[in-house]
Amino acid sequence: MNLDAQERRRLLDAAPWYANGTLPVTERHWVDGAMQRDPWARAVVANWTAVGAAVAETETVALDDAVFDRLMHRIEHETRKVAVTADTGSLLRRLQSAMHALLGGALSPVAAMASVVIAVQGIVIGYMASGDAADEERFRAAGGTGRPVPALRVMIAPEASEAALRARLLQLDLRIGGGPTQIGEYWLRRHQPAERLEDERAAVDALARSLQDDPLFVAVRVDETQGER
Amino acid sequence: MSVQSPADDEGSRALLARIARGDKAAMREFYDMHARTVHAFARKRLRDDHEAEGIVIETMMVVWNAADRFRRDSQVRTWLLGIAKNKCLDVLGRRPADEHESIDDHHDLADESQVQPWQAVHEGQLQAALRRCMQSLSALHQSVLHLMYFEHLSVAEIAQVVDVPEGTVKSRVSNAYVRLRPCLTAAGFGPGASA
């Protein structure tokens, strides 16, 4: 007995997934039965099987090894930046110890500490500046000029929905001020920045700390860029 | 053709745990397991080899930076393809407006006259015609068919990857079938022979 109109609709819905092997077992058995009853059902399934075979036979292109090399270069570059920042504390202690050994009792502990802090800051800032040069270059090329503006630089979690993101930005009075960079980072800015640069820096720093464990963002840091695009 | 077993998924999860601890050797293994999947999907979606390679790097960078945020309730491959899809949308969003696709997601599945079977009397010729005709489909339709028949994802998994309801996935599939018809008819495979 051939399928009636309702059964044909059911078969049309199920056939593509029967052909790709992901149809639930009960529905699969129903399709098997339908194919035994009606040549039309067999033809529909045969068509989808043919489509599947054609897709599967599509030529695949090998992925160049250079792609992996580019990936590792990016990982090395970014991991080193994080490591330098994270290691600041231990580097500080090592430098403090080295300075103390070098200077002995000739320098007071406070003065020695101040010297170390200045030295470490120089190292870190110099490193970060060189690491960010490419992104800043892209930013300037995109037309960003003017006085430094503190901003949050974030990577949005892949599972974050647009609605959740909008709600969070609204809640924090933030807007997307630029991006994405080549690694998918965005700049977030406050809608109403403070008039004094120091106040704005403090506000953005506080925001960065509050967002560290936010599931909507993968990486959050403070960035100062020249104007915005 | 890529069919993933539960053991593959467990292996991928174990690698993600190591990647979250900064293990670069694990990243290499993960890349070897999944880069081709991401690349093949991005090629279908973007129709550009160079941009597809960029999507592989961007997607793997997210893995490197966010491995600890992987949700245990989804499959690794589905999660990965979802990231790749978002990265593809970023690229598509930067393309000129006239390259954007217009998709009718609401094709009526009940319109039986449009989904009559094709004649299947010449199997070999039908395969060749299908491969040719599929090139005329939009990148969006091609990528859905790719996820179905190359990655063997279920309707629920595809819905998760492309972030649309399951009904929309089914509509796109039906729509792709209907859009193949004029090309197949022109190639001599008209509908109705077996009806």
Side-chain angles (χ1 to χ4, degrees), chain A residues 16 20 40 47-48 54 57 68 76 182 217, chain B residues 28 58 69 116-118 131 148-149 153 177:
Chain A
N20 92 332
W40 181 87
N47 284 172
W48 276 110
E57 284 175 18
F68 182 74
E76 294 287 347
Q182 285 194 344
F217 303 106
Chain B
R28 169 89 230 198
E58 297 305 325
R69 305 244 180 150
Q116 289 295 324
W118 311 305
R131 281 195 296 275
M148 284 178 75
Y149 295 113
L153 298 188
Y177 189 92

mmCIF file with all atom_site columns, all heavy atoms in Angstrom, chain A residues 16 20 40 47-48 54 57 68 76 182 217, chain B residues 28 58 69 116-118 131 148-149 153 177:
data_model
loop_
_atom_site.group_PDB
_atom_site.id
_atom_site.type_symbol
_atom_site.label_atom_id
_atom_site.label_alt_id
_atom_site.label_comp_id
_atom_site.label_asym_id
_atom_site.label_entity_id
_atom_site.label_seq_id
_atom_site.pdbx_PDB_ins_code
_atom_site.Cartn_x
_atom_site.Cartn_y
_atom_site.Cartn_z
_atom_site.occupancy
_atom_site.B_iso_or_equiv
_atom_site.pdbx_formal_charge
_atom_site.auth_seq_id
_atom_site.auth_comp_id
_atom_site.auth_asym_id
_atom_site.auth_atom_id
_atom_site.pdbx_PDB_model_num
ATOM 1   N N   . PRO A 1 16  ? 16.442 12.807 4.439   1.00 0.00 ? 16  PRO A N   1
ATOM 2   C CA  . PRO A 1 16  ? 17.832 13.309 4.446   1.00 0.00 ? 16  PRO A CA  1
ATOM 3   C C   . PRO A 1 16  ? 18.645 12.763 5.607   1.00 0.00 ? 16  PRO A C   1
ATOM 4   O O   . PRO A 1 16  ? 19.842 12.494 5.468   1.00 0.00 ? 16  PRO A O   1
ATOM 5   C CB  . PRO A 1 16  ? 17.656 14.828 4.581   1.00 0.00 ? 16  PRO A CB  1
ATOM 6   C CG  . PRO A 1 16  ? 16.256 15.118 4.187   1.00 0.00 ? 16  PRO A CG  1
ATOM 7   C CD  . PRO A 1 16  ? 15.462 13.897 4.512   1.00 0.00 ? 16  PRO A CD  1
ATOM 8   N N   . ASN A 1 20  ? 21.939 10.114 5.995   1.00 0.00 ? 20  ASN A N   1
ATOM 9   C CA  . ASN A 1 20  ? 23.236 10.431 6.626   1.00 0.00 ? 20  ASN A CA  1
ATOM 10  C C   . ASN A 1 20  ? 23.467 9.612  7.901   1.00 0.00 ? 20  ASN A C   1
ATOM 11  O O   . ASN A 1 20  ? 24.473 9.784  8.588   1.00 0.00 ? 20  ASN A O   1
ATOM 12  C CB  . ASN A 1 20  ? 23.398 11.945 6.875   1.00 0.00 ? 20  ASN A CB  1
ATOM 13  C CG  . ASN A 1 20  ? 22.931 12.414 8.241   1.00 0.00 ? 20  ASN A CG  1
ATOM 14  O OD1 . ASN A 1 20  ? 22.048 11.811 8.852   1.00 0.00 ? 20  ASN A OD1 1
ATOM 15  N ND2 . ASN A 1 20  ? 23.519 13.495 8.723   1.00 0.00 ? 20  ASN A ND2 1
ATOM 16  N N   . TRP A 1 40  ? 7.833  5.126  -4.342  1.00 0.00 ? 40  TRP A N   1
ATOM 17  C CA  . TRP A 1 40  ? 8.089  6.567  -4.249  1.00 0.00 ? 40  TRP A CA  1
ATOM 18  C C   . TRP A 1 40  ? 9.030  6.844  -3.069  1.00 0.00 ? 40  TRP A C   1
ATOM 19  O O   . TRP A 1 40  ? 9.969  7.636  -3.177  1.00 0.00 ? 40  TRP A O   1
ATOM 20  C CB  . TRP A 1 40  ? 6.763  7.313  -4.061  1.00 0.00 ? 40  TRP A CB  1
ATOM 21  C CG  . TRP A 1 40  ? 6.888  8.809  -3.966  1.00 0.00 ? 40  TRP A CG  1
ATOM 22  C CD1 . TRP A 1 40  ? 6.902  9.698  -4.994  1.00 0.00 ? 40  TRP A CD1 1
ATOM 23  C CD2 . TRP A 1 40  ? 7.024  9.574  -2.759  1.00 0.00 ? 40  TRP A CD2 1
ATOM 24  N NE1 . TRP A 1 40  ? 7.030  10.976 -4.519  1.00 0.00 ? 40  TRP A NE1 1
ATOM 25  C CE2 . TRP A 1 40  ? 7.116  10.931 -3.146  1.00 0.00 ? 40  TRP A CE2 1
ATOM 26  C CE3 . TRP A 1 40  ? 7.079  9.259  -1.411  1.00 0.00 ? 40  TRP A CE3 1
ATOM 27  C CZ2 . TRP A 1 40  ? 7.252  11.965 -2.227  1.00 0.00 ? 40  TRP A CZ2 1
ATOM 28  C CZ3 . TRP A 1 40  ? 7.217  10.278 -0.490  1.00 0.00 ? 40  TRP A CZ3 1
ATOM 29  C CH2 . TRP A 1 40  ? 7.299  11.611 -0.902  1.00 0.00 ? 40  TRP A CH2 1
ATOM 30  N N   . ASN A 1 47  ? 17.440 9.323  -3.753  1.00 0.00 ? 47  ASN A N   1
ATOM 31  C CA  . ASN A 1 47  ? 17.920 10.662 -4.134  1.00 0.00 ? 47  ASN A CA  1
ATOM 32  C C   . ASN A 1 47  ? 18.824 11.245 -3.062  1.00 0.00 ? 47  ASN A C   1
ATOM 33  O O   . ASN A 1 47  ? 19.905 11.763 -3.351  1.00 0.00 ? 47  ASN A O   1
ATOM 34  C CB  . ASN A 1 47  ? 16.739 11.603 -4.360  1.00 0.00 ? 47  ASN A CB  1
ATOM 35  C CG  . ASN A 1 47  ? 16.032 11.370 -5.686  1.00 0.00 ? 47  ASN A CG  1
ATOM 36  O OD1 . ASN A 1 47  ? 14.989 11.946 -5.956  1.00 0.00 ? 47  ASN A OD1 1
ATOM 37  N ND2 . ASN A 1 47  ? 16.581 10.503 -6.521  1.00 0.00 ? 47  ASN A ND2 1
ATOM 38  N N   . TRP A 1 48  ? 18.376 11.130 -1.816  1.00 0.00 ? 48  TRP A N   1
ATOM 39  C CA  . TRP A 1 48  ? 19.197 11.698 -0.733  1.00 0.00 ? 48  TRP A CA  1
ATOM 40  C C   . TRP A 1 48  ? 20.496 10.930 -0.543  1.00 0.00 ? 48  TRP A C   1
ATOM 41  O O   . TRP A 1 48  ? 21.531 11.503 -0.223  1.00 0.00 ? 48  TRP A O   1
ATOM 42  C CB  . TRP A 1 48  ? 18.391 11.745 0.578   1.00 0.00 ? 48  TRP A CB  1
ATOM 43  C CG  . TRP A 1 48  ? 17.545 12.970 0.658   1.00 0.00 ? 48  TRP A CG  1
ATOM 44  C CD1 . TRP A 1 48  ? 16.196 13.047 0.585   1.00 0.00 ? 48  TRP A CD1 1
ATOM 45  C CD2 . TRP A 1 48  ? 18.011 14.316 0.765   1.00 0.00 ? 48  TRP A CD2 1
ATOM 46  N NE1 . TRP A 1 48  ? 15.775 14.347 0.649   1.00 0.00 ? 48  TRP A NE1 1
ATOM 47  C CE2 . TRP A 1 48  ? 16.873 15.148 0.762   1.00 0.00 ? 48  TRP A CE2 1
ATOM 48  C CE3 . TRP A 1 48  ? 19.264 14.907 0.861   1.00 0.00 ? 48  TRP A CE3 1
ATOM 49  C CZ2 . TRP A 1 48  ? 16.949 16.538 0.860   1.00 0.00 ? 48  TRP A CZ2 1
ATOM 50  C CZ3 . TRP A 1 48  ? 19.354 16.300 0.956   1.00 0.00 ? 48  TRP A CZ3 1
ATOM 51  C CH2 . TRP A 1 48  ? 18.216 17.091 0.955   1.00 0.00 ? 48  TRP A CH2 1
ATOM 52  N N   . ALA A 1 54  ? 27.521 12.214 -3.330  1.00 0.00 ? 54  ALA A N   1
ATOM 53  C CA  . ALA A 1 54  ? 28.168 13.288 -4.102  1.00 0.00 ? 54  ALA A CA  1
ATOM 54  C C   . ALA A 1 54  ? 28.935 14.231 -3.176  1.00 0.00 ? 54  ALA A C   1
ATOM 55  O O   . ALA A 1 54  ? 30.054 14.657 -3.490  1.00 0.00 ? 54  ALA A O   1
ATOM 56  C CB  . ALA A 1 54  ? 27.126 14.064 -4.898  1.00 0.00 ? 54  ALA A CB  1
ATOM 57  N N   . GLU A 1 57  ? 32.101 12.560 -1.868  1.00 0.00 ? 57  GLU A N   1
ATOM 58  C CA  . GLU A 1 57  ? 33.153 12.411 -2.879  1.00 0.00 ? 57  GLU A CA  1
ATOM 59  C C   . GLU A 1 57  ? 33.812 13.737 -3.230  1.00 0.00 ? 57  GLU A C   1
ATOM 60  O O   . GLU A 1 57  ? 34.726 13.770 -4.036  1.00 0.00 ? 57  GLU A O   1
ATOM 61  C CB  . GLU A 1 57  ? 32.572 11.798 -4.149  1.00 0.00 ? 57  GLU A CB  1
ATOM 62  C CG  . GLU A 1 57  ? 32.308 10.306 -4.026  1.00 0.00 ? 57  GLU A CG  1
ATOM 63  C CD  . GLU A 1 57  ? 31.617 9.762  -5.252  1.00 0.00 ? 57  GLU A CD  1
ATOM 64  O OE1 . GLU A 1 57  ? 31.647 10.426 -6.299  1.00 0.00 ? 57  GLU A OE1 1
ATOM 65  O OE2 . GLU A 1 57  ? 31.035 8.673  -5.150  1.00 0.00 ? 57  GLU A OE2 1
ATOM 66  N N   . PHE A 1 68  ? 50.047 25.190 10.353  1.00 0.00 ? 68  PHE A N   1
ATOM 67  C CA  . PHE A 1 68  ? 50.362 24.837 11.746  1.00 0.00 ? 68  PHE A CA  1
ATOM 68  C C   . PHE A 1 68  ? 51.520 25.697 12.271  1.00 0.00 ? 68  PHE A C   1
ATOM 69  O O   . PHE A 1 68  ? 51.507 26.140 13.415  1.00 0.00 ? 68  PHE A O   1
ATOM 70  C CB  . PHE A 1 68  ? 50.718 23.353 11.860  1.00 0.00 ? 68  PHE A CB  1
ATOM 71  C CG  . PHE A 1 68  ? 51.005 22.946 13.271  1.00 0.00 ? 68  PHE A CG  1
ATOM 72  C CD1 . PHE A 1 68  ? 49.983 22.803 14.194  1.00 0.00 ? 68  PHE A CD1 1
ATOM 73  C CD2 . PHE A 1 68  ? 52.315 22.742 13.700  1.00 0.00 ? 68  PHE A CD2 1
ATOM 74  C CE1 . PHE A 1 68  ? 50.247 22.452 15.504  1.00 0.00 ? 68  PHE A CE1 1
ATOM 75  C CE2 . PHE A 1 68  ? 52.580 22.395 15.014  1.00 0.00 ? 68  PHE A CE2 1
ATOM 76  C CZ  . PHE A 1 68  ? 51.543 22.244 15.911  1.00 0.00 ? 68  PHE A CZ  1
ATOM 77  N N   . GLU A 1 76  ? 53.110 31.014 20.462  1.00 0.00 ? 76  GLU A N   1
ATOM 78  C CA  . GLU A 1 76  ? 54.366 31.393 21.133  1.00 0.00 ? 76  GLU A CA  1
ATOM 79  C C   . GLU A 1 76  ? 54.352 32.875 21.472  1.00 0.00 ? 76  GLU A C   1
ATOM 80  O O   . GLU A 1 76  ? 54.678 33.279 22.586  1.00 0.00 ? 76  GLU A O   1
ATOM 81  C CB  . GLU A 1 76  ? 55.566 31.099 20.226  1.00 0.00 ? 76  GLU A CB  1
ATOM 82  C CG  . GLU A 1 76  ? 55.813 29.630 19.947  1.00 0.00 ? 76  GLU A CG  1
ATOM 83  C CD  . GLU A 1 76  ? 56.387 28.903 21.153  1.00 0.00 ? 76  GLU A CD  1
ATOM 84  O OE1 . GLU A 1 76  ? 56.814 29.581 22.098  1.00 0.00 ? 76  GLU A OE1 1
ATOM 85  O OE2 . GLU A 1 76  ? 56.365 27.663 21.146  1.00 0.00 ? 76  GLU A OE2 1
ATOM 86  N N   . GLN A 1 182 ? 43.228 40.507 14.461  1.00 0.00 ? 182 GLN A N   1
ATOM 87  C CA  . GLN A 1 182 ? 43.405 39.248 13.727  1.00 0.00 ? 182 GLN A CA  1
ATOM 88  C C   . GLN A 1 182 ? 43.147 38.032 14.599  1.00 0.00 ? 182 GLN A C   1
ATOM 89  O O   . GLN A 1 182 ? 42.867 36.956 14.092  1.00 0.00 ? 182 GLN A O   1
ATOM 90  C CB  . GLN A 1 182 ? 44.815 39.171 13.144  1.00 0.00 ? 182 GLN A CB  1
ATOM 91  C CG  . GLN A 1 182 ? 44.951 40.069 11.928  1.00 0.00 ? 182 GLN A CG  1
ATOM 92  C CD  . GLN A 1 182 ? 46.193 39.772 11.125  1.00 0.00 ? 182 GLN A CD  1
ATOM 93  O OE1 . GLN A 1 182 ? 47.093 39.108 11.603  1.00 0.00 ? 182 GLN A OE1 1
ATOM 94  N NE2 . GLN A 1 182 ? 46.235 40.280 9.911   1.00 0.00 ? 182 GLN A NE2 1
ATOM 95  N N   . PHE A 1 217 ? 33.515 36.318 28.533  1.00 0.00 ? 217 PHE A N   1
ATOM 96  C CA  . PHE A 1 217 ? 34.787 36.764 27.973  1.00 0.00 ? 217 PHE A CA  1
ATOM 97  C C   . PHE A 1 217 ? 35.891 35.759 28.278  1.00 0.00 ? 217 PHE A C   1
ATOM 98  O O   . PHE A 1 217 ? 35.978 35.231 29.381  1.00 0.00 ? 217 PHE A O   1
ATOM 99  C CB  . PHE A 1 217 ? 35.170 38.134 28.540  1.00 0.00 ? 217 PHE A CB  1
ATOM 100 C CG  . PHE A 1 217 ? 34.116 39.182 28.296  1.00 0.00 ? 217 PHE A CG  1
ATOM 101 C CD1 . PHE A 1 217 ? 33.306 39.620 29.317  1.00 0.00 ? 217 PHE A CD1 1
ATOM 102 C CD2 . PHE A 1 217 ? 33.922 39.700 27.021  1.00 0.00 ? 217 PHE A CD2 1
ATOM 103 C CE1 . PHE A 1 217 ? 32.318 40.566 29.090  1.00 0.00 ? 217 PHE A CE1 1
ATOM 104 C CE2 . PHE A 1 217 ? 32.935 40.645 26.781  1.00 0.00 ? 217 PHE A CE2 1
ATOM 105 C CZ  . PHE A 1 217 ? 32.138 41.078 27.820  1.00 0.00 ? 217 PHE A CZ  1
ATOM 106 N N   . ARG B 2 28  ? 49.259 20.218 19.372  1.00 0.00 ? 28  ARG B N   1
ATOM 107 C CA  . ARG B 2 28  ? 49.645 19.614 18.087  1.00 0.00 ? 28  ARG B CA  1
ATOM 108 C C   . ARG B 2 28  ? 48.720 18.428 17.774  1.00 0.00 ? 28  ARG B C   1
ATOM 109 O O   . ARG B 2 28  ? 48.228 18.270 16.666  1.00 0.00 ? 28  ARG B O   1
ATOM 110 C CB  . ARG B 2 28  ? 51.101 19.152 18.151  1.00 0.00 ? 28  ARG B CB  1
ATOM 111 C CG  . ARG B 2 28  ? 51.544 18.284 16.997  1.00 0.00 ? 28  ARG B CG  1
ATOM 112 C CD  . ARG B 2 28  ? 52.067 19.130 15.875  1.00 0.00 ? 28  ARG B CD  1
ATOM 113 N NE  . ARG B 2 28  ? 51.475 18.784 14.591  1.00 0.00 ? 28  ARG B NE  1
ATOM 114 C CZ  . ARG B 2 28  ? 52.000 19.127 13.416  1.00 0.00 ? 28  ARG B CZ  1
ATOM 115 N NH1 . ARG B 2 28  ? 53.102 19.818 13.356  1.00 0.00 ? 28  ARG B NH1 1
ATOM 116 N NH2 . ARG B 2 28  ? 51.416 18.821 12.298  1.00 0.00 ? 28  ARG B NH2 1
ATOM 117 N N   . GLU B 2 58  ? 42.450 30.939 13.476  1.00 0.00 ? 58  GLU B N   1
ATOM 118 C CA  . GLU B 2 58  ? 41.624 31.680 14.449  1.00 0.00 ? 58  GLU B CA  1
ATOM 119 C C   . GLU B 2 58  ? 40.880 30.714 15.384  1.00 0.00 ? 58  GLU B C   1
ATOM 120 O O   . GLU B 2 58  ? 40.781 30.953 16.595  1.00 0.00 ? 58  GLU B O   1
ATOM 121 C CB  . GLU B 2 58  ? 40.600 32.556 13.721  1.00 0.00 ? 58  GLU B CB  1
ATOM 122 C CG  . GLU B 2 58  ? 41.197 33.640 12.841  1.00 0.00 ? 58  GLU B CG  1
ATOM 123 C CD  . GLU B 2 58  ? 42.150 34.532 13.594  1.00 0.00 ? 58  GLU B CD  1
ATOM 124 O OE1 . GLU B 2 58  ? 41.905 34.790 14.781  1.00 0.00 ? 58  GLU B OE1 1
ATOM 125 O OE2 . GLU B 2 58  ? 43.147 34.956 12.996  1.00 0.00 ? 58  GLU B OE2 1
ATOM 126 N N   . ARG B 2 69  ? 37.176 26.521 28.953  1.00 0.00 ? 69  ARG B N   1
ATOM 127 C CA  . ARG B 2 69  ? 35.768 26.947 28.954  1.00 0.00 ? 69  ARG B CA  1
ATOM 128 C C   . ARG B 2 69  ? 34.877 26.007 28.146  1.00 0.00 ? 69  ARG B C   1
ATOM 129 O O   . ARG B 2 69  ? 33.703 26.296 27.937  1.00 0.00 ? 69  ARG B O   1
ATOM 130 C CB  . ARG B 2 69  ? 35.662 28.359 28.355  1.00 0.00 ? 69  ARG B CB  1
ATOM 131 C CG  . ARG B 2 69  ? 36.536 29.349 29.053  1.00 0.00 ? 69  ARG B CG  1
ATOM 132 C CD  . ARG B 2 69  ? 35.704 30.397 29.723  1.00 0.00 ? 69  ARG B CD  1
ATOM 133 N NE  . ARG B 2 69  ? 36.552 31.342 30.404  1.00 0.00 ? 69  ARG B NE  1
ATOM 134 C CZ  . ARG B 2 69  ? 36.243 32.591 30.582  1.00 0.00 ? 69  ARG B CZ  1
ATOM 135 N NH1 . ARG B 2 69  ? 35.116 33.058 30.087  1.00 0.00 ? 69  ARG B NH1 1
ATOM 136 N NH2 . ARG B 2 69  ? 37.037 33.387 31.252  1.00 0.00 ? 69  ARG B NH2 1
ATOM 137 N N   . GLN B 2 116 ? 9.565  15.920 -5.642  1.00 0.00 ? 116 GLN B N   1
ATOM 138 C CA  . GLN B 2 116 ? 9.418  14.612 -6.274  1.00 0.00 ? 116 GLN B CA  1
ATOM 139 C C   . GLN B 2 116 ? 10.805 14.032 -6.544  1.00 0.00 ? 116 GLN B C   1
ATOM 140 O O   . GLN B 2 116 ? 11.741 14.775 -6.824  1.00 0.00 ? 116 GLN B O   1
ATOM 141 C CB  . GLN B 2 116 ? 8.657  14.752 -7.596  1.00 0.00 ? 116 GLN B CB  1
ATOM 142 C CG  . GLN B 2 116 ? 7.176  15.077 -7.429  1.00 0.00 ? 116 GLN B CG  1
ATOM 143 C CD  . GLN B 2 116 ? 6.415  13.946 -6.753  1.00 0.00 ? 116 GLN B CD  1
ATOM 144 O OE1 . GLN B 2 116 ? 6.700  12.772 -6.972  1.00 0.00 ? 116 GLN B OE1 1
ATOM 145 N NE2 . GLN B 2 116 ? 5.460  14.300 -5.903  1.00 0.00 ? 116 GLN B NE2 1
ATOM 146 N N   . PRO B 2 117 ? 10.931 12.725 -6.485  1.00 0.00 ? 117 PRO B N   1
ATOM 147 C CA  . PRO B 2 117 ? 12.245 12.134 -6.732  1.00 0.00 ? 117 PRO B CA  1
ATOM 148 C C   . PRO B 2 117 ? 12.731 12.352 -8.155  1.00 0.00 ? 117 PRO B C   1
ATOM 149 O O   . PRO B 2 117 ? 11.930 12.469 -9.077  1.00 0.00 ? 117 PRO B O   1
ATOM 150 C CB  . PRO B 2 117 ? 12.022 10.649 -6.466  1.00 0.00 ? 117 PRO B CB  1
ATOM 151 C CG  . PRO B 2 117 ? 10.621 10.464 -6.075  1.00 0.00 ? 117 PRO B CG  1
ATOM 152 C CD  . PRO B 2 117 ? 9.897  11.751 -6.149  1.00 0.00 ? 117 PRO B CD  1
ATOM 153 N N   . TRP B 2 118 ? 14.034 12.397 -8.261  1.00 0.00 ? 118 TRP B N   1
ATOM 154 C CA  . TRP B 2 118 ? 14.619 12.481 -9.602  1.00 0.00 ? 118 TRP B CA  1
ATOM 155 C C   . TRP B 2 118 ? 14.682 11.073 -10.173 1.00 0.00 ? 118 TRP B C   1
ATOM 156 O O   . TRP B 2 118 ? 14.709 10.100 -9.428  1.00 0.00 ? 118 TRP B O   1
ATOM 157 C CB  . TRP B 2 118 ? 16.037 13.045 -9.534  1.00 0.00 ? 118 TRP B CB  1
ATOM 158 C CG  . TRP B 2 118 ? 16.138 14.281 -8.729  1.00 0.00 ? 118 TRP B CG  1
ATOM 159 C CD1 . TRP B 2 118 ? 15.418 15.414 -8.902  1.00 0.00 ? 118 TRP B CD1 1
ATOM 160 C CD2 . TRP B 2 118 ? 16.999 14.494 -7.612  1.00 0.00 ? 118 TRP B CD2 1
ATOM 161 N NE1 . TRP B 2 118 ? 15.783 16.333 -7.957  1.00 0.00 ? 118 TRP B NE1 1
ATOM 162 C CE2 . TRP B 2 118 ? 16.757 15.794 -7.158  1.00 0.00 ? 118 TRP B CE2 1
ATOM 163 C CE3 . TRP B 2 118 ? 17.949 13.727 -6.963  1.00 0.00 ? 118 TRP B CE3 1
ATOM 164 C CZ2 . TRP B 2 118 ? 17.423 16.345 -6.080  1.00 0.00 ? 118 TRP B CZ2 1
ATOM 165 C CZ3 . TRP B 2 118 ? 18.627 14.259 -5.890  1.00 0.00 ? 118 TRP B CZ3 1
ATOM 166 C CH2 . TRP B 2 118 ? 18.355 15.544 -5.451  1.00 0.00 ? 118 TRP B CH2 1
ATOM 167 N N   . ARG B 2 131 ? 27.192 16.375 -8.483  1.00 0.00 ? 131 ARG B N   1
ATOM 168 C CA  . ARG B 2 131 ? 28.402 17.111 -8.063  1.00 0.00 ? 131 ARG B CA  1
ATOM 169 C C   . ARG B 2 131 ? 28.480 18.458 -8.772  1.00 0.00 ? 131 ARG B C   1
ATOM 170 O O   . ARG B 2 131 ? 28.832 19.469 -8.182  1.00 0.00 ? 131 ARG B O   1
ATOM 171 C CB  . ARG B 2 131 ? 29.652 16.273 -8.349  1.00 0.00 ? 131 ARG B CB  1
ATOM 172 C CG  . ARG B 2 131 ? 29.899 15.183 -7.314  1.00 0.00 ? 131 ARG B CG  1
ATOM 173 C CD  . ARG B 2 131 ? 31.311 14.634 -7.408  1.00 0.00 ? 131 ARG B CD  1
ATOM 174 N NE  . ARG B 2 131 ? 31.554 13.965 -8.671  1.00 0.00 ? 131 ARG B NE  1
ATOM 175 C CZ  . ARG B 2 131 ? 31.254 12.687 -8.914  1.00 0.00 ? 131 ARG B CZ  1
ATOM 176 N NH1 . ARG B 2 131 ? 30.713 11.954 -7.968  1.00 0.00 ? 131 ARG B NH1 1
ATOM 177 N NH2 . ARG B 2 131 ? 31.488 12.143 -10.095 1.00 0.00 ? 131 ARG B NH2 1
ATOM 178 N N   . MET B 2 148 ? 26.090 17.541 6.994   1.00 0.00 ? 148 MET B N   1
ATOM 179 C CA  . MET B 2 148 ? 25.265 16.324 7.007   1.00 0.00 ? 148 MET B CA  1
ATOM 180 C C   . MET B 2 148 ? 26.016 15.112 6.492   1.00 0.00 ? 148 MET B C   1
ATOM 181 O O   . MET B 2 148 ? 26.012 14.054 7.111   1.00 0.00 ? 148 MET B O   1
ATOM 182 C CB  . MET B 2 148 ? 24.033 16.517 6.104   1.00 0.00 ? 148 MET B CB  1
ATOM 183 C CG  . MET B 2 148 ? 22.950 17.359 6.672   1.00 0.00 ? 148 MET B CG  1
ATOM 184 S SD  . MET B 2 148 ? 21.617 17.515 5.475   1.00 0.00 ? 148 MET B SD  1
ATOM 185 C CE  . MET B 2 148 ? 20.848 15.902 5.569   1.00 0.00 ? 148 MET B CE  1
ATOM 186 N N   . TYR B 2 149 ? 26.636 15.262 5.334   1.00 0.00 ? 149 TYR B N   1
ATOM 187 C CA  . TYR B 2 149 ? 27.147 14.081 4.639   1.00 0.00 ? 149 TYR B CA  1
ATOM 188 C C   . TYR B 2 149 ? 28.663 13.944 4.659   1.00 0.00 ? 149 TYR B C   1
ATOM 189 O O   . TYR B 2 149 ? 29.186 12.942 4.206   1.00 0.00 ? 149 TYR B O   1
ATOM 190 C CB  . TYR B 2 149 ? 26.629 14.074 3.194   1.00 0.00 ? 149 TYR B CB  1
ATOM 191 C CG  . TYR B 2 149 ? 25.135 13.909 3.148   1.00 0.00 ? 149 TYR B CG  1
ATOM 192 C CD1 . TYR B 2 149 ? 24.312 14.929 2.698   1.00 0.00 ? 149 TYR B CD1 1
ATOM 193 C CD2 . TYR B 2 149 ? 24.542 12.730 3.612   1.00 0.00 ? 149 TYR B CD2 1
ATOM 194 C CE1 . TYR B 2 149 ? 22.941 14.788 2.682   1.00 0.00 ? 149 TYR B CE1 1
ATOM 195 C CE2 . TYR B 2 149 ? 23.169 12.591 3.605   1.00 0.00 ? 149 TYR B CE2 1
ATOM 196 C CZ  . TYR B 2 149 ? 22.369 13.604 3.137   1.00 0.00 ? 149 TYR B CZ  1
ATOM 197 O OH  . TYR B 2 149 ? 21.013 13.444 3.148   1.00 0.00 ? 149 TYR B OH  1
ATOM 198 N N   . LEU B 2 153 ? 26.763 14.874 10.936  1.00 0.00 ? 153 LEU B N   1
ATOM 199 C CA  . LEU B 2 153 ? 26.135 15.433 12.134  1.00 0.00 ? 153 LEU B CA  1
ATOM 200 C C   . LEU B 2 153 ? 24.619 15.250 12.049  1.00 0.00 ? 153 LEU B C   1
ATOM 201 O O   . LEU B 2 153 ? 24.044 15.254 10.964  1.00 0.00 ? 153 LEU B O   1
ATOM 202 C CB  . LEU B 2 153 ? 26.454 16.927 12.266  1.00 0.00 ? 153 LEU B CB  1
ATOM 203 C CG  . LEU B 2 153 ? 27.927 17.338 12.419  1.00 0.00 ? 153 LEU B CG  1
ATOM 204 C CD1 . LEU B 2 153 ? 28.021 18.830 12.739  1.00 0.00 ? 153 LEU B CD1 1
ATOM 205 C CD2 . LEU B 2 153 ? 28.614 16.535 13.519  1.00 0.00 ? 153 LEU B CD2 1
ATOM 206 N N   . TYR B 2 177 ? 17.550 20.902 -1.625  1.00 0.00 ? 177 TYR B N   1
ATOM 207 C CA  . TYR B 2 177 ? 17.032 19.858 -2.507  1.00 0.00 ? 177 TYR B CA  1
ATOM 208 C C   . TYR B 2 177 ? 16.231 20.471 -3.653  1.00 0.00 ? 177 TYR B C   1
ATOM 209 O O   . TYR B 2 177 ? 16.403 20.119 -4.828  1.00 0.00 ? 177 TYR B O   1
ATOM 210 C CB  . TYR B 2 177 ? 16.165 18.944 -1.653  1.00 0.00 ? 177 TYR B CB  1
ATOM 211 C CG  . TYR B 2 177 ? 15.665 17.662 -2.288  1.00 0.00 ? 177 TYR B CG  1
ATOM 212 C CD1 . TYR B 2 177 ? 16.392 16.491 -2.169  1.00 0.00 ? 177 TYR B CD1 1
ATOM 213 C CD2 . TYR B 2 177 ? 14.452 17.621 -2.961  1.00 0.00 ? 177 TYR B CD2 1
ATOM 214 C CE1 . TYR B 2 177 ? 15.916 15.295 -2.704  1.00 0.00 ? 177 TYR B CE1 1
ATOM 215 C CE2 . TYR B 2 177 ? 13.968 16.444 -3.503  1.00 0.00 ? 177 TYR B CE2 1
ATOM 216 C CZ  . TYR B 2 177 ? 14.699 15.284 -3.370  1.00 0.00 ? 177 TYR B CZ  1
ATOM 217 O OH  . TYR B 2 177 ? 14.224 14.111 -3.908  1.00 0.00 ? 177 TYR B OH  1
#
